[in-house]
Amino acid sequence: MSYPKEVGGYKLGKLIIEGKTKQVFDLPSEPGLCLLLNKDRITAGDGVKAHDMEGKAAISNQTNGKVFEILKAAGIKTAYVEVASPTAFISKKCEMVPIEWVTRRLATGSFLKRNPGVPEGFRFTPPKQETFFKDDANHDPQWSEEQIVSAKFDVNGLVIGQDEVDYMRKVTILVFEILEKAWALRNCALIDMKIEFGVDVDGNILLADVIDSDSWRLWPSGDKRLMVDKQVYRNLANVTAADLDTVKRNFAWVKDQLDHLKPTIHHKVVVFMGSPADEEHCQKIAKAARVFGLDVDLRITSAHKATQETLRIMQEYEDTHGALVFIAVAGRSNGLGPVLSGNTSYPVINCPPPSDKLVQDIWSSLSVPSGLGCATVVYPDSAAIMAAQIIGLQDYLVWARLRVKQLDMATSLRTADKKLRNPKV
């Protein structure tokens, strides 16, 4: 069989692996990278059912690219790099962990067969996570975490143990929840999905492979009868050309809908400082907030010395933003936060600047008149995180970046503990 020599301007090296719906090629000019070329092919039942579908490769490639761009924007560590051509994309070269990680929000499909007595539509909260060993000959049997750990897979020099399994499980659920929130913007219910992980040459675990309409169940309006995923193809007893056109139209619809999954809320975090001397502290707040993708403005005004101007600035933002957080930076007798809180229905966070009288400054921020609801934090990053938590209620990407930060902090601690337990690691 002959293979292409060049795709999207990239000269191809040897064929690394070929699957049912894609080929993976080495890139001699790009060490550490490879090219994944999609096929115009749809399969089901471990390849027992298979048909050619003209145009599927391009649809799958665009779908995959758009999904991974969302996940990269959220901060998920992925192998995906960029689109290379209409039917191919560039990825970091990984050795794959031979496990499919499945997350379910509702019980349906194979879960019902394996768990008789559970009604279809049973809602899992939190999402149900399952693992399956990739073995077509034995129909990808379900494996427990204990089986995965006991297998001691050596993947690119990384032995998959409990720490690695825990990390992949957490990322799997987080990926599902991010995309679930994204699809909710189009009134589509993400029912379940499968993903895979790879390990790069540096030993990093990365979300890898492909995520397209073969990877999930997607029900518009939460109605199974409106499904637009590969299950439509799986359900066909006899596949006609018209049936394949229907499946292709569904896949194309999903690909187009992905263009509308970016948060549309217009947000702003406004940091008020009572004095120009507080700017350094405020810049630290702004820097920490921008890590989460927050849009931050810094303003100088005094509630004591320029009350009307302070309220005018506040109202200017109230009239132009849907999601809004005010952060008040004022020391000594902090009137800034309480004045803002007493005149707005938007949240106000006090974050007094450092000083030799910080205890008194904190107390003036805490001891506010009755009927007011200012929160008070001491550190700039705390103010930024709290603002992100508020904005994240309406913007799933901000919410996702918070979740990724929490996961990264927990992972770094576990990695440090692992090194302490195993000095040679």
Side-chain angles (χ1 to χ4, degrees), residues 221-236:
S221 303
D223 189 337
K224 181 181 178 180
R225 296 169 297 179
L226 303 178
M227 67 175 70
V228 288
D229 49 70
K230 195 170 80 170
Q231 191 62 40
V232 174
Y233 174 74
R234 293 190 189 99
N235 291 345
L236 294 170

Side-chain angles (χ1 to χ4, degrees), residues 96-162:
M96 299 301 294
V97 179
I99 298 292
E100 281 189 350
W101 302 76
V102 176
T103 308
R104 305 182 186 277
R105 177 61 78 187
L106 299 182
T108 191
S110 65
F111 184 87
L112 300 178
K113 296 177 183 178
R114 289 182 283 106
N115 297 272
V118 178
E120 184 167 31
F122 183 94
R123 185 175 181 83
F124 301 113
T125 9
K128 172 75 72 175
Q129 200 277 309
E130 298 178 309
T131 45
F132 298 84
F133 178 57
K134 288 179 65 65
D135 180 2
D136 283 351
N138 291 296
H139 308 292
D140 295 347
Q142 184 175 9
W143 272 27
S144 66
E145 287 192 0
E146 291 79 9
Q147 286 174 292
I148 300 172
V149 172
S150 299
K152 297 181 180 178
F153 294 118
D154 187 328
V155 186
N156 238 351
L158 178 68
V159 177
I160 304 302
Q162 189 63 56

Side-chain angles (χ1 to χ4, degrees), residues 180-249:
E180 180 183 43
K181 288 178 180 291
W183 277 114
L185 296 178
R186 304 303 289 173
N187 193 28
C188 288
L190 184 60
I191 305 304
D192 53 39
M193 70 176 296
K194 62 180 180 180
I195 61 174
E196 295 183 37
F197 293 93
V199 179
D200 68 11
V201 293
D202 296 319
N204 299 308
I205 298 176
L206 305 175
L207 177 64
D209 199 52
V210 172
I211 301 177
D212 60 12
S213 286
D214 290 9
S215 307
W216 53 36
R217 285 187 175 89
L218 190 65
W219 297 353
S221 303
D223 189 337
K224 181 181 178 180
R225 296 169 297 179
L226 303 178
M227 67 175 70
V228 288
D229 49 70
K230 195 170 80 170
Q231 191 62 40
V232 174
Y233 174 74
R234 293 190 189 99
N235 291 345
L236 294 170
N238 298 297
V239 182
T240 66
D243 292 329
L244 290 176
D245 283 342
T246 297
V247 174
K248 180 179 173 181
R249 283 196 303 272

